[in-house]
Structures are given as C-alpha cells and as structure tokens.
Amino acid sequence: MSNPFLRTALFLIAVTAAGTAGAQDAGGRTRFILAASWQPAFCETNQRKPECSSQTKDRFDATNFSLHGLWPMRKDYCDVSGTLRTADKEGDWKKLPEVELSAETKVALEKAMPGTQSGLERHEWIKHGTCTKMSANDYFATSVRLIDELNASPVRDLFAANVGKSLTAEAIKAAFDKSFGPGAGDRVKMSCRRAGGGNRVIDELTIGLSEDATSNDGASLRDLIQGAGRTSFGCDQGVVDAAGF
C-alpha cells in the first residue's frame, strides 16, 4: 500500500472504530428496565382507576415518580401457567393470586406503586418478576429501593419544581447526569401522551440498568445505570402534569 493518503484514511477509520467500540464497551449492556411513571399524566387517560380517582395534589405520587415495574429485557411469564397468563392479559388483575410480601415491603410498595389499588403488583410479578430468579419480596423490595433513589435525586427535584410547565430532553438528561454520573441521561428513554387540551405530557421514564439489578447485593441506581447501554431519548419535550383532571 504505497498511497500515503489511503494509509492515513484507513488509519483514521480504524481509530474512530476503536473509539466507538470502546465507548460501547464502557457503557455495558442493558439487561433490565426500571419503569418510572409520572402518575398525574397516567391518570389523565385512566381516570376511573381507583388510584387515579383518589389522587390529590397532596399525595406522594403527585410530585414523585411512581413505580411501574422492574423488567428483565426480552423475558416474560417465566414458568407461568397458561391459565394465569390468560387471566393476566384479560386485565382484571385483582383476580390474580396475591403476592406474598412482608408487612414492611407491602407498606413501602403501596406508597411507591399507587397501582397496587388496581392489582398492578400482581401483574408485574407474574409477567416480569417471575423471570428474575428472586422471591417476590426481594423483587419488590429492590424495585422500591431503586425508585426511592430516583425520588431522592435532582431528577425528581426538577420535575417537582416544574409541575405545570414544560421540560426539554436536554434539561432532563442533564439532571440524570448530575444525579447518576456523566452519560446517565443517555441510558434513559422518555414517553409522552396527549392529555386534555391537546397538551403533550410526560408519561414515563424507562431507565436502562445492568445485569446486577437483581443480584441482591444492593447495587446503587447510579452503578446500575452506568453499567447499562445507551439508548435514544424518545419524546423530546413535554409538560410535567399536575394532579387532577
């Protein structure tokens, strides 16, 4: 290869490719998703659900993220009978078997997951929790701990300070980087929905986590996010909905 320009070009391509691969390796791989709902937005289109009809502006979930679930990637309904799977998909989750939880975990979960009023925890366990190799109590205790870490962060503070106002993807990603380290915002996807008046409201954040999410070693949300892979952010701007219809 005698052409110096060709040699230079190939060298630069190789360096760029190595840098990209290094960045992907540093980011790890997403194995779990922490789904954090903004409950007032969810309730805009689910007003008849008991957790929505009872919501007030003073309740915890009016200004904090609510736990939707902790989901293993590309796995669901592990060792679940066809009968239970059918019952789950029919959507009347109160007919599903109760989840065995300690009194402490039950109280914490009812606060973090208002959807327990509709049996959401029964659905989450059957569809997702059964694929984690954890007990139901450990699965939900871990889920609550992670959502509590999110609610103790500047991300939650940003949302609570901007109820009724619009937030951009850039502002939210910056809050994640501040809370959970550089690049954390690149492991988050945001979804929005249309509410009354045509406003686009922020509905949910799905946060990528590494394979250690269910290892029972108490890994921090920061470490789990940093160990996940990057993703596109999704919705680029939305309103932080206030409680009430």
Side-chain angles (χ1 to χ4, degrees), residues 232-245:
S232 60
F233 196 77
C235 178
D236 61 352
Q237 185 168 341
V239 173
V240 182
D241 200 27
F245 313 126

Side-chain angles (χ1 to χ4, degrees), residues 35-44 55 60-68 114 150-151 155-164 167 191 193 201-205 239-243:
S37 296
W38 191 255
Q39 193 73 7
F42 169 80
C43 287
E44 287 284 356
Q55 189 187 47
F60 182 79
D61 57 295
T63 53
N64 287 270
F65 290 101
S66 295
L67 175 64
H68 182 174
L150 179 63
N151 280 326
V155 176
R156 177 268 171 189
D157 295 344
L158 176 69
F159 273 68
N162 286 279
V163 171
L167 284 178
S191 63
R193 65 172 65 196
V201 297
I202 300 169
D203 175 44
E204 188 164 70
L205 302 177
V239 173
V240 182
D241 200 27

Side-chain angles (χ1 to χ4, degrees), residues 107-163:
V107 169
L109 184 62
E110 288 174 349
K111 180 180 179 181
M113 180 187 275
T116 54
Q117 296 179 51
S118 297
L120 176 60
E121 81 285 7
R122 304 183 190 193
H123 159 73
E124 290 297 316
W125 170 249
I126 284 176
K127 185 173 183 180
H128 302 291
T130 54
C131 297
T132 63
K133 299 181 180 179
M134 304 177 83
S135 69
N137 194 77
D138 287 345
Y139 171 70
F140 284 110
T142 296
S143 302
V144 168
R145 176 178 63 79
L146 295 177
I147 204 74
D148 283 349
E149 289 188 45
L150 179 63
N151 280 326
S153 77
V155 176
R156 177 268 171 189
D157 295 344
L158 176 69
F159 273 68
N162 286 279
V163 171

Side-chain angles (χ1 to χ4, degrees), residues 153-156 158-159 167-188 190 205 222 226 233 236:
S153 77
V155 176
R156 177 268 171 189
L158 176 69
F159 273 68
L167 284 178
T168 64
E170 289 75 15
I172 297 167
K173 291 177 72 172
F176 266 94
D177 288 354
K178 179 180 180 181
S179 303
F180 304 109
D186 293 328
R187 277 85 175 166
V188 180
M190 183 167 80
L205 302 177
R222 178 190 178 103
Q226 289 294 329
F233 196 77
D236 61 352

